[in-house]
Amino acid sequence: MIKEIEPEFEDEMEVETNSKNKKINRVALGGTILGIAAMVGIAWYYISGNVQKYEAEKFAQEHPNDAIAIAAKLEDTKANAIGLFDNEDSVLMTMNQMTHQKIAAEEKTGAVPMTKANIEEVTEFVENSEFEHKDEMLRILDKWQEGDFSSVNGDHDYILKMQDGTKGWSTGLFTPEEEAQFVLENWGSKFD
């Protein structure tokens, strides 16, 4: 037995159905707009990153043995960002990895660009710390801020000792050509 709907309730049901359809349409429209905005944002991120990458690689090709010029170019890129520090060990690790751009060693793990911005970021963090090795760290960072990397191999080994390191000791300084090659291998195609 099918019960017939009384005519007076048909209008109410139609209004209720239309109201539900409008809500569903608004939700669908909102979802579509949000999806399109997300796709545009992602596309913009990749396009801008690829433009930076192309410009940096072109610059590196034009200045193949100029590690200082390539490092300066890194100043304008996202490869410059170090990240957050939470303790002395994380800062020492970052400083250790920054030296890898300038030194030869039998074994290296990780690399952080030795840029003015990175040196300043680490220095600021150390200055505002209560680290056990704060004075030694600032002495090294002050040299780097002045552009003095003549003893960065010694700085590397000193940092490694502060980290209780047992391997990866420096075997000397990179030549400008070796440094340029290291920069290209580590950041030449990773600017995004």
Side-chain angles (χ1 to χ4, degrees), residues 35-90:
I36 291 170
M39 287 189 292
V40 167
I42 291 168
W44 177 255
Y45 173 79
Y46 282 108
I47 290 169
S48 64
N50 285 334
V51 168
Q52 276 186 330
K53 174 181 164 181
Y54 170 78
E55 289 175 357
E57 287 176 344
K58 181 179 174 192
F59 182 85
Q61 288 171 352
E62 293 169 358
H63 304 85
N65 295 324
D66 192 349
I68 293 170
I70 294 169
K73 187 68 176 171
L74 282 171
E75 293 284 340
D76 299 327
T77 69
K78 294 177 187 170
N80 192 43
I82 293 177
L84 299 175
F85 307 113
D86 55 0
N87 57 39
E88 184 172 12
D89 290 337
S90 63

Side-chain angles (χ1 to χ4, degrees), residues 17 24 30 37 40 51 88 100 102 113 118 121 124 139 144 177 181:
T17 302
I24 291 171
V40 167
V51 168
E88 184 172 12
H100 292 176
K102 305 255 181 213
N118 284 348
E121 185 176 339
E124 183 178 328
R139 181 185 52 77
W144 295 355
E177 295 80 17
Q181 185 62 36

Side-chain angles (χ1 to χ4, degrees), residues 2 5 10 12 34 39-40 69 80 94 102 105 113 123 125-126 137-138 142 149 151 181 183:
I2 299 177
I5 299 175
E10 279 185 34
E12 289 178 24
L34 186 60
M39 287 189 292
V40 167
N80 192 43
T94 298
K102 305 255 181 213
T123 301
F125 192 84
V126 173
M137 295 165 79
L138 288 174
D142 286 344
F149 301 105
S151 60
Q181 185 62 36
V183 168

Side-chain angles (χ1 to χ4, degrees), residues 94-105:
T94 298
M95 290 175 67
N96 179 317
Q97 292 177 349
M98 289 169 72
T99 66
H100 292 176
Q101 176 179 328
K102 305 255 181 213
I103 65 154

Side-chain angles (χ1 to χ4, degrees), residues 108-177:
K108 297 183 196 178
T109 303
V112 172
M114 181 71 84
T115 61
K116 286 182 182 181
N118 284 348
I119 295 167
E120 288 170 11
E121 185 176 339
V122 174
T123 301
E124 183 178 328
F125 192 84
V126 173
E127 286 174 341
N128 295 312
S129 74
E130 299 295 326
F131 293 155
E132 177 184 351
H133 301 104
K134 178 179 179 175
D135 292 339
E136 296 93 334
M137 295 165 79
L138 288 174
R139 181 185 52 77
I140 292 168
L141 290 163
D142 286 344
K143 286 192 304 183
W144 295 355
Q145 282 186 316
E146 293 172 14
D148 180 2
F149 301 105
S150 61
S151 60
V152 73
N153 56 329
D155 298 339
H156 171 270
D157 290 348
Y158 189 78
I159 293 166
L160 197 57
K161 285 179 188 174
M162 285 190 273
Q163 293 179 286
D164 297 322
T166 59
K167 58 185 176 178
W169 303 104
S170 172
T171 58
L173 294 171
F174 271 157
T175 64
E177 295 80 17

